[in-house]
Amino acid sequence: MSRVLVIGAGGVSSVAVHKMAMNADIFSHITLASRTKSKCDAIADSVKSRFGVTIDTAAIDADDVAATTALIQAVKPALVVNLALPYQDLAIMDACLAAGVNYLDTANYEPRDEAKFEYKWQWAYQERFKDAGLMALLGSGFDPGVTSVFATYTKKHLLDSIETLDILDCNGGDTGLPFATNFNPEINLREVTANSRHWENGQWVEGPALSHKQSFDFEGVGPKNMYLMYHEELESLAKFYPEIKRIRFWMTFGDSYLKHLEVLENIGMTSIEPMMFQGREIIPIEFLKALLPEPASLGPITKGKTNIGTIATGAKDGAQKTVYVKNICDHEEAYAETGNQAVSYTTGVPAMIGAALMLTGQWKGEGVFNIEQLNPDPFMDMLNKHGLPWTVEELDAPLAF
């Protein structure tokens, strides 16, 4: 049994805290902290009403290293679970080092003033965490996270070597709204509008955003258009699995979403460059975020399913083989359990599982680790037990595109 401090109070955090409360044998005491304490209190009330578990709440500016360090020292957790914004990763890592506590997050650091997704800033903490005898686990969400574990599980149990790996992320959910993002609007739009990149033959291949489209029939959802994108797990998978000749990430988008996005881009609303408005400086994408629906509010109106998985082609016993490992999650079932839609659920549950494996000592080490460096078996087992069951399917042939 261990104490844990969770930072952040969005949909992912809500799911993670609800699931932690359901596993009180591991998470004996939970403190939830965010800049807006009322959001923490609302999550705490939901946890109390659903599961009868009391969690503590606190207000914290996670950009303030000294204040975060002081909170960690007051709470005395065995682990800090960072579910705040990616901009705050380094500050929270600094606070964990100062307080002598292990660290976990679900998304890699991103500068506020540049839409750039790289692990270099967090990998640079390797020696500091190692010298402190602490563990930092990066990317314990779904993608990155579960998809990286799927790749590790594939290499350990299904293929002797992997030649190509495709990550397919489909959200078949429908809110009935003309335009809404299913996670933090600012992060979502920065991600979607960035140039596409994939790993091929030892180098990055870059192209315009959303310029490469393929259709794929997703089980539980149906045929959807998916687009080649850059996603952070490509970088870590390319590093830790240098044998893989090609690694790609695909995400589905509906025509209405893309049309709205095109208009917003054309008028400059997705820009991260500061501008003057009525005598004060604003950042357009932050203003847009304030206008869009809060993702945590979409749970009651979201219908449909997500389907996220990996398709790997490689060798097994001397023959070529293609395997598809995937999870299908129902938005309405996720909402019934935790009060959150499936996109938050599929990230919050793996955050809880990664934290549980660290707290129970099944995952341990000194330094900074990406999730694909660790034993996939206990994680895959917990996915089945805690709401994200997975299946393995052998395909007749590699992807034709």
Side-chain angles (χ1 to χ4, degrees):
M1 299 176 70
S2 300
R3 300 172 67 88
V4 64
L5 170 62
V6 180
I7 300 178
V12 171
S13 180
S14 176
V15 171
V17 170
H18 278 83
K19 299 297 280 193
M20 289 174 182
M22 295 169 67
N23 292 273
D25 57 324
I26 299 173
F27 302 93
S28 58
H29 185 276
I30 305 163
T31 299
L32 177 62
S34 177
R35 188 186 303 270
T36 308
K37 186 175 181 294
S38 60
K39 291 184 177 181
C40 300
D41 293 337
I43 293 171
D45 290 343
S46 176
V47 169
K48 181 69 173 180
S49 64
R50 290 171 185 270
F51 310 120
V53 174
T54 299
I55 67 173
D56 290 340
T57 62
I60 188 64
D61 176 1
D63 291 317
D64 187 333
V65 175
T68 306
T69 301
L71 177 62
I72 296 171
Q73 291 170 333
V75 173
K76 295 181 173 57
L79 174 68
V80 170
V81 177
N82 170 18
L83 303 179
L85 293 172
Y87 319 139
Q88 299 171 307
D89 288 358
L90 302 188
I92 297 174
M93 292 178 79
D94 285 335
C96 285
L97 285 167
V101 175
N102 294 323
Y103 169 92
L104 176 148
D105 67 30
T106 61
N108 72 353
Y109 173 73
E110 177 187 348
R112 286 184 184 273
D113 58 355
E114 184 180 13
K116 195 172 185 64
F117 306 92
E118 283 187 286
Y119 275 116
K120 67 177 183 181
W121 292 284
Q122 291 180 280
W123 284 343
Y125 279 68
Q126 167 65 22
E127 293 305 318
R128 292 174 64 189
F129 271 84
K130 185 176 180 180
D131 291 345
L134 298 173
M135 180 178 184
L137 176 59
L138 310 182
S140 189
F142 206 105
D143 44 359
V146 173
T147 51
S148 302
V149 177
F150 281 174
T152 306
Y153 181 87
T154 296
K155 175 64 185 295
K156 183 174 181 179
H157 296 288
L158 306 177
L159 297 174
D160 297 326
S161 62
I162 301 175
E163 183 172 334
T164 65
L165 179 70
D166 285 89
I167 300 168
L168 282 60
D169 183 326
C170 170
N171 176 22
D174 183 10
T175 64
L177 300 174
F179 186 78
T181 63
N182 48 43
F183 61 95
N184 184 287
E186 188 178 350
I187 303 302
N188 177 258
L189 294 174
R190 285 164 64 115
E191 191 174 271
V192 171
T193 55
N195 284 345
S196 71
R197 294 174 75 209
H198 73 277
W199 182 255
E200 189 163 2
N201 295 323
Q203 63 183 359
W204 293 108
V205 179
E206 188 165 319
L210 305 174
S211 61
H212 191 168
K213 176 177 73 173
Q214 293 289 341
S215 180
F216 191 85
D217 191 356
F218 290 89
E219 180 185 349
V221 177
K224 289 283 184 180
N225 288 329
M226 61 182 189
Y227 296 80
L228 189 66
M229 290 178 57
Y230 179 69
H231 224 240
E232 61 232 60
E233 63 265 43
L234 301 186
E235 182 184 17
S236 58
L237 286 166
K239 177 178 180 177
F240 298 115
Y241 289 94
E243 71 190 58
I244 304 180
K245 294 183 174 63
R246 189 189 70 207
I247 312 174
R248 301 181 297 188
F249 181 93
W250 305 86
M251 183 174 283
T252 63
F253 299 100
D255 292 341
S256 176
Y257 178 96
L258 293 177
K259 178 56 66 178
H260 280 79
L261 180 63
E262 180 184 6
V263 172
L264 292 169
E265 278 195 284
N266 287 342
I267 62 176
M269 286 299 293
T270 62
S271 173
I272 62 174
E273 296 298 324
M275 63 170 289
M276 295 303 297
F277 175 73
Q278 294 185 347
R280 60 171 295 186
E281 186 176 271
I282 67 166
I283 296 175
I285 197 170
E286 293 182 355
F287 178 72
L288 176 61
K289 174 185 175 182
L291 297 176
L292 292 175
E294 170 64 41
S297 72
L298 301 177
I301 60 174
T302 307
K303 317 295 181 185
K305 298 177 180 179
T306 64
N307 181 324
I308 311 175
T310 59
I311 296 178
T313 294
K316 181 65 175 178
D317 299 328
Q320 187 184 71
K321 185 177 181 180
T322 299
V323 291
Y324 185 11
V325 187
K326 62 181 176 292
N327 162 262
I328 298 172
C329 185
D330 187 283
H331 281 284
E332 293 177 87
E333 292 177 4
Y335 179 73
E337 183 184 354
T338 68
N340 297 273
Q341 37 90 346
V343 174
S344 295
Y345 191 89
T346 54
T347 304
V349 172
M352 180 278 291
I353 292 174
L357 294 177
M358 289 178 69
L359 292 174
T360 57
Q362 295 178 76
W363 280 357
K364 57 186 176 181
E366 297 177 354
V368 176
F369 296 84
N370 287 82
I371 200 166
E372 58 264 46
Q373 295 177 263
L374 305 170
N375 180 13
D377 294 346
F379 190 96
M380 295 288 279
D381 182 55
M382 288 189 73
L383 286 174
N384 281 331
K385 292 177 178 177
H386 296 283
L388 294 177
W390 47 273
T391 59
V392 177
E393 175 186 358
E394 185 172 347
L395 303 184
D396 294 333
L399 290 175
F401 48 84

